[in-house]
Amino acid sequence: MKSRVHAVAGVLALTLISSFFTASVVVEVFGDHDAVKAVKTVIVFALLGLVPCMAITGGTGRSLSARRLRAPLVRRKQRRIAVAAAIGLLVLVPCAVTLQAMAADGQFGTGFALIQAVELIGGAVNITLLSLNVRDGRLLTAASRRSGDHAASVSARR
Ligand code: HEM
């Protein structure tokens, strides 16, 4: 159950970040200023869903790895989520809020383009980090199923 919650929250976080990225690129290329403003507003509200998803993924991930904190895959996942959370809080959230405010004010000049570029770079890095965590998560689940550890830990948690 905990593993399912972890996987769903993690994949949902990845889906949200990927959707923000895709919507931002598509609207920049094909949309008018009203469409850009609408997308920026949706992204700011959707952040309210992304932050809890990341927190749930991190919390359940930590608890799932309680007995294998030294495992290299677990350590890599921990490092990646720490970097992804830092980028999210220090780069993506401030960029999203600033871009929404600028779009609402009709400021679509060089400043907007620069902040948009920074947001896309941060988004691309986070998509990569979360995708690697999904891949390593699948490997960890497969390994624990092979060793029978998974069944034991699931029944111990019930
Ligand atoms: C946003 C970051 C993360 C994502 C997207 C993610 C995603 C996933 C996915 C998709 C699985 C496979 C679940 C399954 O096949 O049922 C998984 C498993 C796992 N993850 Fe993560 N994860 C993340 C962060 C973490 C962190 C930070 C840790 C540890 C501190 C962690 C520890 C684990 C463990 C131990 C498993 C195996 C669970 C089992 O025994 O079945 N994950 N993760």
Side-chain angles (χ1 to χ4, degrees):
M1 178 65 183
K2 203 183 285 175
S3 168
R4 181 58 59 86
V5 171
H6 175 73
V8 169
V11 170
L12 193 58
L14 175 58
T15 307
L16 282 170
I17 297 176
S18 306
S19 310
F20 298 170
F21 186 95
T22 310
S24 296
V25 172
V26 168
V27 88
E28 277 299 328
V29 176
F30 299 110
D32 58 11
H33 285 171
D34 282 342
V36 173
K37 196 168 105 181
V39 165
K40 294 296 151 202
T41 304
V42 171
I43 290 177
V44 166
F45 281 105
L47 285 175
L48 299 173
L50 176 61
V51 173
C53 278
M54 288 289 284
I56 291 169
T57 308
T60 49
R62 212 181 151 67
S63 132
L64 284 168
S65 2
R67 288 190 293 131
R68 41 184 162 160
L69 279 175
R70 283 162 183 273
L73 285 181
V74 168
R75 290 167 80 126
R76 259 183 259 157
K77 288 191 77 169
Q78 272 177 320
R79 273 200 300 272
R80 286 192 204 115
I81 202 173
V83 174
I87 291 176
L89 293 176
L90 302 175
V91 179
L92 299 183
V93 172
C95 283
V97 171
T98 310
L99 289 172
Q100 194 280 328
M102 290 175 92
D105 270 4
Q107 297 174 39
F108 292 102
T110 314
F112 186 93
L114 277 176
I115 297 170
Q116 181 61 83
V118 171
E119 189 190 52
L120 288 177
I121 293 167
V125 172
N126 270 8
I127 289 169
T128 307
L129 293 171
L130 266 60
S131 301
L132 291 171
N133 267 6
V134 169
R135 182 201 62 187
D136 287 350
R138 296 228 166 96
L139 292 174
L140 282 164
T141 299
S144 60
R145 285 202 180 129
R146 266 198 310 277
S147 68
D149 184 36
H150 187 71
S153 61
V154 167
S155 52
R157 274 182 239 130
R158 278 191 185 137

